[in-house]
Amino acid sequence: MGPACWGEKVEDNTSATRQKSVWEDRQEQPEWLVRELLRQNVRRHSVTLAEDDEIMRRQHHRICSNRRFCSLKIDEMISLDQLQKLKLAFEEFEADGFRSIDVNHFGHIVKKCLGLPKTSNEQIQGLFKKIDFSDQGRISWGQFCSHTLEKYKVKQETARCSKQVAFTLPATAKALCRGTPVVNIHSTHDGTMVSLGEGGVVCHWSPELQPLRTKRIFNERPANRKSKWASDFTLMTELNKLMIGTGDREIQLYELSTLEPYCQINALDTVPLTVDYGWATAVQGCVTIIVISSVGDTLRLWNKLPKIENMPTIAADNAVLSPNVTFVRWKVHHDWVTKAKYFQSFQAVVSASNEESSSLVVGCVLPLTYAEQQLREITEVCYEGKTEKVQLSWTPKLRASCDQTVFPVYKGVKTFYLCRKHSLLVTGGLDRLIRMWNPHFSGRPTGILKGHSAPIVYLHILSEDSQILSVSTDNTVKIWDIQDQHCLFTADLKASGILGDISACSYSSALKCLYIAADCMAVLSLKIRLRLHSRLTVSHDEAVMCCGYSEEFRQVVSCTEKSVVKVWDFDTGRQVFEFGGTKDLPATTCMTFDPNGRRLITGRRDGCLKIWNFNSGQCLKTLKKQGQCHEVCACIFLQVNRNFYVMSVGRARKIDIYPDTPEDLHHVQRPQPSWQDDLKNGHREDILCVVQCPPSLLATSSYDGEIIVWNVVTGRAQCRFVSPLLAENLKVKVIELDLSVPSIIFMNHSKLHHFFSATALLSSGAMGCVHLWDVLSGGKCVGSFKASRFQQKIVKMAKTDRDTLLYAADQIGYIYVYNIEEFSPEQKSPQAENFWRAHTGSITGLQIVDNDQVVLTSSSDYTVRLWSAHREFIGTFGQSESWSLHISSSWKHPAVPYEVLIDPLSTPDHKSLTVNTCLSDAINPDKTRAHRGEAKSETHSKLRLTPTSIRTTMIGDD
């Protein structure tokens, strides 16, 4: 036990290098590219190395050409010298009377100043458009700098948010046994927590702080003798022992499992104030170390000694004469030692005191000359017969300067921790600062963490998470990031509920819990992020509220419940940028793009709208009403004549209209006065959806099923109507029906002109129905049909550019495709051209990208996905392997999303999987026909159970 405390001659270097390069290229190919190469070469018996290399190069060129537009990240790779050159180039144009430059001059500057002559014009134009978000056609030096700095700042903030950690609050608390102050807390290998009170009461606790065992280990003394008290304790878990320092100048050992006395060392020179295993005892300025090389055998010998107060006892003078025992006492400090601890990874004893000149000392256990002394003793025993040990001396020795490192700290050190992985020493004390040190150099701290308002009494380094945990006397708990040196989490007394003076703290790395003893025993548990199944892929860590596609940048933007905005590369599925998600931000509920696709408008739960440059994360403007604001449910960007507006609707039950004026420098913008017809005869319930039919029609739908069609030029309601109830819906109580209209859409197809006077309006209805309205005939309902096979609410609808196909998505993740050219109002249940299950949760975003023949979807199941127009699964944004949009071998198809595959609602209703099929068919024959007679050869249509959330599949790896 340590202190119980690989050449051959190469004839063709070019060939060898080329072969190596080809081999490395092969190693880096994604699986889908390998499959594509095999498919192209399937009829060839062999492929030479050069041919194979050329095929790969052509394939790479084909793939990368799809990504050029967004791959240039000039703003992320500029050095300080290059930035200076760019500034001088901009200033030359300003000297010629130009305040800004166009894209051609910008490209010339970039290629020249950054040394990138081969950079394509498409890449430069992409960067230029990101900076010129208002489409002015020119940018200035200030705009370039603002874009770069804002993007850098947002990336820093996003990195911080990704490190967020928290304890579950409030703390779980239990009353202390017999109310005595706790001197220390330690954990055993099985997770049991052990606490010791000053009066000798040992308590065993479960990780959840359920009392397991309580025992008083000190014997009662006569009235004329002072009661024994404990100063500190530690666990010798390998030996199943509990070691206690007492006020009677003793070190006592007990069986950990039974708490029966085992042995003790008495007659110490002073009271051991702090003990540790590889243990060291500390008195005023001194650290006493006992090194036992065979600790188990030695303790068994001491256990056979005569008993004093029912405990085998050996005096300290005799203990050091025992075989395998080495005693050393160091004079380290000039004041009382506040803490001493042995760190096996450093093979050093660290001690602290309140005296400033030697506040903390990291020292060796034995002097470096000890090996020479041991060799001398062996020589004396073997050749001279000397076996007598030197008598114990309590006089402390001074360490040589090479044997210790001294750290002076203002006002001293009360607590510390040393970590080998990060080579980091942290100290805390009365000055309320946490200092970070290189443990091998004591000059200056490498960092100082400020934030506590009271003296720091406990520190611990969470090495796996690169974090520091600190506790102060005002019962405040903080978690700090080591790399960024900033606070990640704070829990004060009110939040944690821990009352009284803190007497002991202990962090369990295995349980990820902090145990604190004050007026009660309390535990704070770290919130652990769920680890997804290896086959599960999510785009976000929370529900996705909306998504959209920017054709200008070929990017997808998705927003979440916690206001996180992610920007994805449409052609590969990889994440490009992320912003938002800072603490206490209200949820994002809806989004839209400006007509150019360069700015993003988001609506939030607090009633505000934000306009963003989503390529830099800069908030350009805030749109907000005066007074009380209500949740925004939908927003659109519309054009009336030559003017542009942002329009929002929501729980305020009114239509808010904001002029789009990028030249307006005011950050906060108020809406125009509301339409008078909206104020007097508007919706009586929350407005859920708003759509425009250029040039002048606008439709809004509400929670009570009412739809109002407006003229945006006059601001007057043109007609209003309420969703009808189908005959089968009348069998259900109206109270139980969901009459809300979350989705409406205008369609203008020549086929519909046979039934409508003009443009048709489609709206979602109760129990999966879709209604068709003739708007110019006063809102006449022309027809209705069941869009969802499972009578689930249609929450999103989208159409192709020519209005030939209607896509409808329901709240259990199904997408249905209907051909408008085959529509007939008399047909109550038209046959869907196609349908599939895209998600396991409600679909929150649905968009058709006609140019690429794909469907974009998002859902509350944390995912954003891309599908071909024929329902082939391309992939989930954020998956580990990227795709190439126009190379089908890179798609996930024929696979389907794993969580969709295993969800009970996706299970086919086959008699081999269903018990008592005949009986169930007899009971509900209509349901049987609905599930089996209507569908084509689609297994997705045969379902039988209710949906489940993605959370139920977060179950550990295979």
Side-chain angles (χ1 to χ4, degrees):
M1 178 178 172
C5 226
W6 157 332
E8 294 184 8
K9 180 179 179 181
V10 179
E11 297 180 0
D12 189 350
N13 291 330
T14 303
S15 176
T17 303
R18 180 173 56 83
Q19 293 182 27
K20 180 179 179 181
S21 175
V22 171
W23 173 250
E24 290 176 349
D25 284 346
R26 285 175 171 173
Q27 294 291 91
E28 297 174 358
Q29 306 311 317
E31 293 182 5
W32 62 264
L33 181 54
V34 176
R35 294 195 302 266
E36 181 73 8
L37 290 172
L38 290 173
R39 185 185 64 81
Q40 292 180 1
N41 300 323
V42 67
R43 295 184 179 181
R44 303 178 63 178
H45 296 287
S46 64
V47 180
T48 66
L49 191 60
E51 290 173 326
D52 194 11
D53 187 17
E54 182 60 28
I55 291 172
M56 285 189 176
R57 292 181 184 276
R58 291 200 309 266
Q59 190 70 36
H60 268 301
H61 176 76
R62 180 183 174 187
I63 296 166
C64 295
S65 62
N66 295 324
R67 309 180 187 175
R68 285 181 178 176
F69 191 71
C70 300
S71 62
L72 186 64
K73 298 182 179 180
I74 294 175
D75 49 337
E76 298 179 14
M77 61 184 185
I78 297 179
S79 67
L80 193 59
D81 292 338
Q82 292 172 330
L83 194 64
Q84 186 67 31
K85 292 179 181 179
L86 280 172
K87 181 183 178 182
L88 294 175
F90 270 92
E91 289 177 347
E92 287 179 7
F93 277 91
E94 293 178 359
D96 293 337
F98 297 98
R99 294 185 179 180
S100 56
I101 62 175
D102 57 20
V103 64
N104 294 327
H105 290 100
F106 178 71
H108 176 74
I109 289 175
V110 167
K111 292 180 180 181
K112 178 182 178 181
C113 296
L114 302 187
L116 300 172
K118 296 183 180 180
T119 303
S120 68
N121 292 331
E122 292 84 358
Q123 292 174 316
I124 294 175
Q125 288 174 4
L127 177 60
F128 184 88
K129 289 178 180 179
K130 291 177 182 179
I131 302 172
D132 182 27
F133 54 83
S134 58
D135 197 18
Q136 300 296 315
R138 306 182 71 88
I139 62 172
S140 65
W141 170 246
Q143 288 175 311
F144 178 86
C145 292
S146 296
H147 173 85
T148 305
L149 291 173
E150 190 68 30
K151 193 167 186 176
Y152 175 79
K153 184 176 71 174
V154 169
K155 283 194 172 185
Q156 291 291 100
E157 187 63 34
T158 300
R160 290 185 180 183
C161 291
S162 66
K163 299 177 181 179
Q164 287 301 319
V165 64
F167 282 111
T168 302
L169 298 175
T172 301
K174 296 291 181 179
L176 281 169
C177 305
R178 305 190 186 182
T180 57
V182 172
V183 298
N184 214 334
I185 309 169
H186 291 282
S187 62
T188 63
H189 289 318
D190 62 357
T192 301
M193 304 305 298
V194 182
S195 66
L196 173 66
E198 278 188 0
V201 178
V202 180
C203 295
H204 288 203
W205 309 81
S206 71
E208 299 79 19
L209 285 188
Q210 296 298 326
L212 301 177
R213 184 182 183 187
T214 302
K215 183 179 180 179
R216 182 182 178 90
I217 57 175
F218 294 161
N219 295 324
E220 293 290 342
R221 287 183 168 180
N224 60 346
R225 291 191 62 186
K226 187 177 180 180
S227 299
K228 183 176 291 190
W229 56 277
S231 60
D232 196 12
F233 89 101
T234 191
L235 300 181
M236 306 171 71
T237 52
E238 294 85 354
L239 302 170
N240 193 38
K241 299 293 185 291
L242 182 147
M243 180 170 60
I244 301 173
T246 75
D248 292 347
R249 298 183 299 159
E250 299 165 334
I251 295 176
Q252 298 185 337
L253 282 82
Y254 294 81
E255 292 285 356
L256 181 58
S257 54
T258 64
L259 298 180
E260 292 297 324
Y262 191 80
C263 67
Q264 68 178 355
I265 302 175
N266 69 352
L268 298 175
D269 184 52
T270 52
V271 175
L273 297 181
T274 177
V275 296
D276 189 48
Y277 171 69
W279 52 267
T281 68
V283 296
Q284 186 174 10
C286 299
V287 175
T288 304
I289 304 171
I290 299 176
V291 184
I292 308 176
S293 57
S294 300
V295 64
D297 295 338
T298 303
L299 293 182
R300 278 190 289 270
L301 288 173
W302 293 352
N303 180 248
K304 305 299 182 181
L305 297 174
K307 297 182 179 180
I308 298 178
E309 293 186 353
N310 199 34
M311 179 174 283
T313 304
I314 185 171
D317 293 345
N318 298 324
V320 298
L321 297 177
S322 302
N324 307 318
V325 176
T326 301
F327 175 87
V328 62
R329 195 175 196 214
W330 298 113
K331 180 63 177 179
V332 181
H333 306 279
H334 303 289
D335 198 358
W336 293 99
V337 176
T338 57
K339 184 177 181 180
K341 187 174 180 62
Y342 174 73
F343 290 90
Q344 176 68 40
S345 57
F346 284 85
Q347 294 188 358
V349 173
V350 184
S351 58
S353 77
N354 291 324
E355 190 261 330
E356 295 185 14
S357 62
S358 58
S359 302
L360 183 131
V361 177
V362 180
C364 60
V365 176
L366 299 172
L368 296 179
T369 58
Y370 184 69
E372 299 177 4
Q373 181 183 340
Q374 282 186 315
L375 183 60
R376 191 185 313 114
E377 290 179 356
I378 293 173
T379 304
E380 291 175 351
V381 170
C382 295
Y383 297 100
E384 302 176 16
K386 296 182 180 181
T387 59
E388 184 178 352
K389 294 198 68 171
V390 179
Q391 196 71 21
L392 171 65
S393 174
W394 289 100
T395 303
K397 301 178 181 180
L398 293 175
R399 280 199 188 105
S401 59
C402 61
D403 290 340
Q404 65 181 17
T405 305
V406 180
F407 297 83
V409 180
Y410 176 64
K411 290 189 177 182
V413 172
K414 293 185 68 68
T415 184
F416 57 84
Y417 198 85
L418 188 59
C419 176
R420 183 72 176 184
K421 179 179 179 181
H422 295 282
S423 189
L424 177 65
L425 169 69
V426 291
T427 62
L430 295 174
D431 64 351
R432 303 167 296 178
L433 301 178
I434 301 173
R435 291 174 172 84
M436 305 168 65
W437 309 82
N438 184 326
H440 305 289
F441 303 97
S442 59
R444 291 184 178 181
T446 59
I448 299 178
L449 307 178
K450 303 178 181 179
H452 278 288
S453 302
I456 299 165
V457 294
Y458 182 75
L459 288 170
H460 187 91
I461 297 178
L462 288 64
S463 58
E464 293 181 358
D465 302 316
S466 299
Q467 295 165 354
I468 299 171
L469 174 67
S470 62
V471 183
S472 58
T473 56
D474 60 353
N475 298 7
T476 298
V477 180
K478 289 180 177 287
I479 301 177
W480 312 78
D481 182 71
I482 292 177
Q483 181 179 1
D484 296 337
Q485 298 185 12
H486 76 280
C487 185
L488 300 173
F489 172 82
T490 300
D492 57 14
L493 183 148
K494 291 183 179 180
S496 65
I498 301 173
L499 303 176
D501 297 332
I502 295 177
S503 60
C505 299
S506 178
Y507 179 79
S508 172
S509 300
L511 301 174
K512 294 190 179 297
C513 294
L514 173 64
Y515 294 86
I516 299 176
D519 286 353
C520 58
M521 275 288 289
V523 57
L524 290 167
S525 303
L526 275 179
K527 293 181 179 180
I528 308 299
R529 292 185 179 182
L530 293 175
R531 186 172 64 90
L532 290 175
H533 190 285
S534 61
R535 295 184 182 179
L536 291 179
T537 299
V538 295
S539 307
H540 289 270
D541 294 329
E542 59 270 344
V544 183
M545 304 299 288
C546 48
C547 72
Y549 169 67
S550 170
E551 185 177 0
E552 182 78 354
F553 299 111
R554 290 189 67 81
Q555 291 175 340
V556 170
V557 178
S558 56
C559 306
T560 72
E561 197 171 33
K562 293 185 179 179
S563 223
V564 174
V565 180
K566 288 188 178 183
V567 183
W568 311 89
D569 184 5
F570 181 67
D571 293 299
T572 64
R574 294 197 178 277
Q575 183 176 329
V576 176
F577 191 57
E578 175 184 346
F579 63 93
T582 53
K583 195 175 182 181
D584 299 329
L585 273 181
T588 298
T589 55
C590 56
M591 60 162 283
T592 188
F593 292 101
D594 71 354
N596 296 319
R598 299 189 187 184
R599 292 178 293 160
L600 172 72
I601 298 91
T602 61
R604 308 198 307 185
R605 194 159 285 166
D606 64 351
C608 293
L609 293 100
K610 298 279 186 178
I611 302 180
W612 307 85
N613 179 352
F614 60 91
N615 280 294
S616 69
Q618 179 185 4
C619 181
L620 306 173
K621 193 169 292 188
T622 298
L623 312 180
K624 183 180 180 181
K625 294 195 299 183
Q626 287 183 326
Q628 187 178 7
C629 298
H630 300 272
E631 178 181 335
V632 177
C633 296
C635 62
I636 60 171
F637 208 106
L638 73 159
Q639 180 179 2
V640 180
N641 299 322
R642 295 183 178 180
N643 300 317
F644 293 92
Y645 302 89
V646 177
M647 180 177 288
S648 67
V649 297
R651 300 194 182 278
R653 306 176 183 180
K654 294 292 180 286
I655 302 172
D656 295 320
I657 305 174
Y658 301 85
D660 178 40
T661 53
E663 65 278 1
D664 187 354
L665 300 179
H666 293 89
H667 183 75
V668 178
Q669 183 177 332
R670 305 299 180 186
Q672 288 183 344
S674 298
W675 295 334
Q676 289 298 313
D677 213 7
D678 185 25
L679 292 174
K680 298 178 180 179
N681 305 307
H683 286 279
R684 294 177 292 272
E685 274 292 343
D686 300 347
I687 307 177
L688 303 180
C689 187
V690 57
V691 293
Q692 185 195 18
C693 178
S696 60
L697 290 183
L698 181 84
T700 55
S701 62
S702 62
Y703 187 79
D704 58 359
E706 185 179 38
I707 300 171
I708 303 180
V709 180
W710 309 81
N711 186 312
V712 296
V713 178
T714 64
R716 299 184 62 86
Q718 185 163 314
C719 61
R720 61 198 311 152
F721 38 88
V722 178
S723 299
L725 294 177
L726 301 184
E728 51 267 38
N729 295 341
L730 297 176
K731 301 177 183 178
V732 184
K733 294 181 181 180
V734 177
I735 299 177
E736 299 176 359
L737 280 177
D738 181 4
L739 301 176
S740 63
V741 184
S743 182
I744 52 179
I745 189 172
F746 284 103
M747 297 197 76
N748 187 9
H749 189 273
S750 57
K751 173 68 176 181
L752 300 177
H753 292 172
H754 299 288
F755 315 107
F756 300 88
S757 57
T759 301
L761 177 68
L762 280 69
S763 68
S764 58
M767 301 181 70
C769 292
V770 170
H771 307 297
L772 292 85
W773 309 87
D774 189 348
V775 174
L776 297 185
S777 298
K780 176 184 177 182
C781 184
V782 177
S784 301
F785 66 94
K786 293 181 179 179
S788 173
R789 294 173 179 267
F790 314 108
Q791 299 184 357
Q792 298 293 325
K793 172 72 71 174
I794 298 298
V795 291
K796 291 292 177 182
M797 290 189 292
K799 62 180 181 178
T800 53
D801 282 345
R802 297 183 179 180
D803 292 9
T804 55
L805 296 177
L806 171 69
Y807 287 75
D810 65 18
Q811 60 186 4
I812 60 172
Y814 273 86
I815 296 176
Y816 305 87
V817 185
Y818 292 92
N819 192 336
I820 299 301
E821 294 179 344
E822 299 177 1
F823 172 76
S824 174
E826 297 79 14
Q827 192 175 6
K828 297 296 182 181
S829 299
Q831 185 71 44
E833 261 205 3
N834 212 339
F835 75 99
W836 71 95
R837 194 171 191 201
H839 299 272
T840 56
S842 179
I843 291 182
T844 58
L846 177 64
Q847 185 172 348
I848 316 302
V849 184
D850 286 274
N851 292 338
D852 297 280
Q853 291 291 294
V854 296
V855 181
L856 173 67
T857 63
S858 66
S859 170
S860 58
D861 65 2
Y862 305 3
T863 58
V864 184
R865 294 192 171 120
L866 201 62
W867 311 80
S868 75
H870 305 289
R871 81 170 208 174
E872 296 163 316
F873 180 36
I874 297 176
T876 300
F877 287 92
Q879 67 186 33
S880 58
E881 189 177 85
S882 63
W883 64 71
S884 182
L885 190 60
H886 300 291
I887 301 178
S888 59
S889 58
S890 69
W891 301 355
K892 289 290 185 180
H893 179 77
V896 297
Y898 181 71
E899 56 268 38
V900 172
L901 182 65
I902 66 174
D903 191 87
L905 191 58
S906 304
T907 307
D909 185 12
H910 192 274
K911 58 185 177 181
S912 63
L913 301 174
T914 307
V915 180
N916 297 330
T917 304
C918 297
L919 180 60
S920 63
D921 291 351
I923 293 174
N924 198 350
D926 294 335
K927 183 177 180 181
T928 304
R929 284 195 296 270
H931 281 273
R932 298 182 181 176
E934 292 182 3
K936 298 179 181 180
S937 56
E938 303 282 345
T939 59
H940 287 75
S941 66
K942 305 175 182 180
L943 311 179
R944 52 188 177 86
L945 296 178
T946 55
T948 57
S949 168
I950 190 175
R951 297 178 184 273
T952 62
T953 61
M954 293 182 179
I955 50 175
D957 209 336
D958 290 326

